[in-house]
Amino acid sequence: MDLNLIVPLISYLLLMLGLGLYLNRQPQQGSFIQDYFLGNRSMGGFVLAMTMVATYASASSFIGGPGAAYSMGLGWVLLAMIQVPTVWLTLGVLGKQFAYIARRVNALTINDMLYARYRSSLVVILAALGLLAAFIATMVVQFIGGARLLETVTGLSYQDGLIIFASTVLLYTLIGGFRAVVLTDAVQGILMLIGTVVLVVGVLHAGGGASAIFSQLAALDPGLVTPQGPDNFLSSSFMLSFWVLVCFGVIGLPHSAVRCLAYKDSKAMHRGIMIGTLVGALLMFGMHFAGALGRVLVPELTVPDKVLPTLMLTVLPPVVAGLFLAGPMAAIMSTIDSQLIQASATLVKDLYLNYLSRKPPSEQLIKRASRGVTLVIGVIVVWAALSPPDMIIWLNLLAFGALQAIFFWPLVLGLYWWRGTATGALASMLTGAISYAVLATLGIKLFGMHAIVPSLVLSGLAYFIGSLLSPAPCAEVQALFGRAESSTEHPAPGAKHETST
């Protein structure tokens, strides 16, 4: 082990723990459940931008994505840029509507929003179960990425790296809650950006410039420098599928959508869109570009997912590499903590408090339950991550698609089509989940497209048909969601709520 590498990484992990402890000592604002799961709706524009980018830029972006670029070449870099508008789309489509309505109905989770819109316990329970199943799969991917990073850098075994990484994330999430999650995301977003820029500069310098590296890539395989990739893998149908899966469909990801409930005001949202889109573009290009060029500098890799940490160790001085290896570590941690806190909110707030608790529990009981559930979910995910696949990007994309197939239309059409009903939402969620599971499991590709494309088409049709065949929503729901469309400002975070979920 090289102390020049280990010390900066350990210092970074301790910094995250310290931030969680500091935030835990701050005075609680409002009820524990609102403070722990939503940070009292106090995010400014910069923090909103960074937590959106950091939550989306996961192990798949820093570990799996560059690994795919290592295998597929510059065509995958071009493909990855499809993801640039994700922050703009999520905040632009959901942001203002979500924030306005969430404050009126005191919604703390995505399932609170679904209940306010559809007034159906069955919709909430089905959404909660789907969210938990998909989140466990995506968190497994993140833990695998973190463990592989520590394994590559420190020489520890995969299992030891997994335990160290998981313990750090679980501790600061347990202690600090949502505020720790979003503030560590802001720190991690800055580290991710700086680390990406430093790595790209180091790779170009080590390889003798872009043109020299491109020539060597072409010599290895001409497909590595074409938009279609080796063996024309990146076909038009694949690119369309990828656009739906990692750009358009991201609007339906609950762990990104929940950020729309927690920002402070419209100014924060607009600033978040601008900063988040710019930072996201730089990250996506830099990470994947470095991965593609790494095929020349480290051609001997047998596990493509190790390309980014291997490049940092190869082209950067040890102290610098140790410092900026915190970049990919940050990307992974920022996604896990967001999913952990929302999975905990789903079990405690959406299921236990709403449906299983016979009397209002005390604040102390809610605290113990929230942290206990977060710990149990974390332990389950760590256990599932003990036997990792060679390339994690496919598992991550599979879970991404499942979330989108379930949540996309109930969230989006629920905001923008007043005629949508609980029957339509249930039909959409079941159709999306079943069709996606069948197509993905059996490997069926209609017209060569990923399973998410036909699944979203079918679930969208199911939403329209189910809604039109059932009675219209009640007048209260129509009025609430109709007025939201014409609203230009959000009520203050402490404003009185007219309805309650």
Side-chain angles (χ1 to χ4, degrees):
M1 296 186 187
D2 188 338
L3 288 179
N4 289 323
L5 291 170
I6 303 302
V7 171
L9 272 179
I10 297 300
S11 300
Y12 170 73
L13 294 175
L14 291 174
L15 174 64
M16 295 300 100
L17 278 176
L19 186 54
L21 286 168
Y22 169 76
L23 291 171
N24 186 52
R25 296 172 65 88
Q26 299 306 299
Q28 181 175 303
Q29 302 174 9
S31 68
F32 168 81
I33 197 164
Q34 177 161 301
D35 196 59
Y36 188 77
F37 290 130
L38 214 56
N40 208 41
R41 309 186 201 274
S42 58
M43 277 195 294
F46 179 77
V47 173
L48 174 64
M50 287 304 181
T51 191
M52 289 290 292
V53 171
T55 298
Y56 179 73
S58 63
S60 183
S61 301
F62 254 98
I63 303 295
Y70 181 89
S71 301
M72 305 295 174
L74 296 176
W76 194 275
V77 181
L78 181 63
L79 185 71
M81 298 309 289
I82 290 172
Q83 303 170 80
V84 167
T86 51
V87 172
W88 175 75
L89 279 172
T90 303
L91 289 176
V93 173
L94 300 181
K96 182 159 286 192
Q97 309 289 70
F98 257 46
Y100 176 79
I101 294 170
R103 284 172 167 81
R104 294 199 61 189
V105 301
N106 196 25
L108 303 181
T109 67
I110 293 300
N111 285 325
D112 281 347
M113 292 293 291
L114 290 174
Y115 185 81
R117 176 62 179 84
Y118 299 110
R119 307 299 167 96
S120 168
S121 299
L122 192 55
V123 168
V124 171
I125 293 171
L126 182 60
L129 295 176
L131 184 148
L132 288 171
F135 269 11
I136 286 174
T138 54
M139 283 190 284
V140 168
V141 171
Q142 310 311 316
F143 277 123
I144 291 170
R148 279 192 174 150
L149 180 61
L150 287 177
E151 176 191 18
T152 304
V153 172
T154 65
L156 291 169
S157 69
Y158 170 82
Q159 286 75 16
D160 290 341
L162 178 63
I163 296 303
I164 292 172
F165 178 76
S167 300
T168 305
V169 178
L170 284 172
L171 280 172
Y172 81 70
T173 305
L174 281 170
I175 294 168
F178 187 86
R179 281 194 292 171
V181 167
V182 297
L183 289 179
T184 53
D185 281 358
V187 175
Q188 289 162 344
I190 295 170
L191 277 174
M192 287 156 54
L193 182 60
I194 297 173
T196 299
V197 172
V198 169
L199 177 61
V200 171
V201 171
V203 167
L204 291 172
H205 176 75
S211 60
I213 300 177
F214 292 167
S215 298
Q216 294 178 70
L217 277 176
L220 288 172
D221 184 340
L224 293 173
V225 293
T226 65
Q228 290 74 35
D231 303 319
N232 291 319
F233 179 79
L234 303 175
S235 63
S236 298
S237 57
F238 183 91
M239 287 189 277
L240 172 63
S241 301
F242 203 78
W243 175 76
V244 173
L245 186 60
V246 300
C247 182
F248 178 68
V250 169
I251 299 170
L253 292 179
H255 54 293
S256 294
V258 76
R259 265 69 185 151
C260 300
L261 306 180
Y263 65 82
K264 185 166 53 177
D265 51 30
S266 295
K267 183 179 179 181
M269 184 191 74
H270 296 145
R271 185 174 296 166
I273 289 174
M274 291 186 291
I275 297 173
T277 301
L278 176 60
V279 172
L282 293 172
L283 285 176
M284 290 302 154
F285 175 76
M287 289 184 289
H288 293 85
F289 188 60
L293 301 188
R295 183 71 173 267
V296 170
L297 299 180
V298 286
E300 72 286 351
L301 289 182
T302 56
V303 179
D305 283 347
K306 292 184 177 181
V307 62
L308 218 63
T310 303
L311 278 175
M312 286 191 170
L313 295 175
T314 303
V315 305
L316 300 178
V319 174
V320 178
L323 180 62
F324 292 119
L325 274 167
M329 181 77 78
I332 298 164
M333 293 171 71
S334 59
T335 301
I336 295 175
D337 55 24
S338 300
Q339 293 172 342
L340 265 177
I341 204 73
Q342 193 164 356
S344 177
T346 297
L347 282 171
V348 175
K349 171 68 173 64
D350 298 329
L351 297 181
Y352 173 68
L353 292 181
N354 288 347
Y355 300 109
L356 299 178
S357 179
R358 296 184 177 180
K359 59 180 181 179
S362 66
E363 186 99 337
Q364 196 61 33
L365 178 60
I366 294 174
K367 285 184 181 181
R368 289 199 299 267
S370 301
R371 288 171 173 154
V373 165
T374 303
L375 179 61
V376 169
I377 293 172
V379 170
I380 291 171
V381 173
V382 171
W383 175 80
L386 288 173
S387 301
D390 286 339
M391 288 187 70
I392 60 176
I393 188 170
W394 309 120
L395 177 59
N396 195 60
L397 292 178
L398 185 68
F400 254 46
L403 285 169
Q404 293 168 18
I406 294 170
F407 284 95
F408 186 87
W409 296 118
L411 286 178
V412 176
L413 290 181
L415 283 178
Y416 289 98
W417 189 42
W418 70 270
R419 187 62 178 78
T421 67
T423 301
L426 287 169
S428 176
M429 294 165 80
L430 289 171
T431 302
I434 294 170
S435 60
Y436 186 78
V438 170
L439 294 172
T441 302
L442 299 180
I444 299 172
K445 295 185 177 181
L446 300 177
F447 306 106
M449 292 185 291
H450 188 278
I452 190 59
V453 179
S455 297
L456 283 180
V457 172
L458 291 173
S459 61
L461 288 173
Y463 188 94
F464 277 107
I465 294 171
S467 296
L468 293 175
L469 293 178
S470 56
C474 66
E476 184 182 1
V477 169
Q478 291 186 39
L480 174 63
F481 284 80
R483 284 199 298 270
E485 294 178 4
S486 60
S487 172
T488 57
E489 286 297 327
H490 309 319
K496 184 177 179 181
H497 309 298
E498 295 188 8
T499 61
S500 174
T501 59

